[in-house]
Amino acid sequence: NINFKFQFLGALEIFTREALEHYFEKSGECAGKVGHQGGEDYYMEACMDGIGIDHQTDFKLLNDKYAATGNCNDPWVVGFHFYKKISSWNKCHDDAEAAARNANMKFQ
């Protein structure tokens, strides 16, 4: 979801129903084999890969200020992470809304 670190940050995790059903059936296989050094996002990515769940990549979905993506003006972004101040998040959101309008995209 973002081209940073291991390319799967917990602010935005999207799974199909089938992927989660498979995870719930096989997640016990992950418990002893996958480390927890990277948080729940690293664990889920490693586990899903380990039990054979394929994935899609779209690095433009998440705007993360620690990853320095700085893409508030990109209408393709669907999530804005990690803004501690409401005013900062609102500014980024407003910029994204304007970018979507300028690109003739419906923003909801």
Side-chain angles (χ1 to χ4, degrees), residues 25-63:
E25 289 172 9
K26 303 281 188 177
S27 63
E29 296 177 21
C30 299
K33 297 179 182 174
V34 178
H36 293 275
Q37 65 273 19
E40 96 291 340
D41 44 9
Y42 174 79
Y43 178 85
M44 283 301 290
E45 181 195 35
C47 180
M48 293 298 230
D49 286 348
I51 60 175
I53 300 296
D54 195 14
H55 63 274
Q56 305 258 328
T57 301
D58 187 338
F59 293 145
K60 294 181 112 187
L61 291 176
L62 179 62
N63 175 331

Side-chain angles (χ1 to χ4, degrees), residues 1-2 4 9-12 40-41 61-72 77-84 89 92:
N1 61 14
I2 194 164
F4 182 70
L9 294 183
L12 182 66
E40 96 291 340
D41 44 9
L61 291 176
L62 179 62
N63 175 331
D64 185 277
K65 81 174 196 177
Y66 289 125
T69 53
N71 54 359
C72 294
V77 172
V78 299
F80 307 97
H81 182 252
F82 184 59
Y83 293 89
K84 290 199 179 253
W89 188 92
C92 186

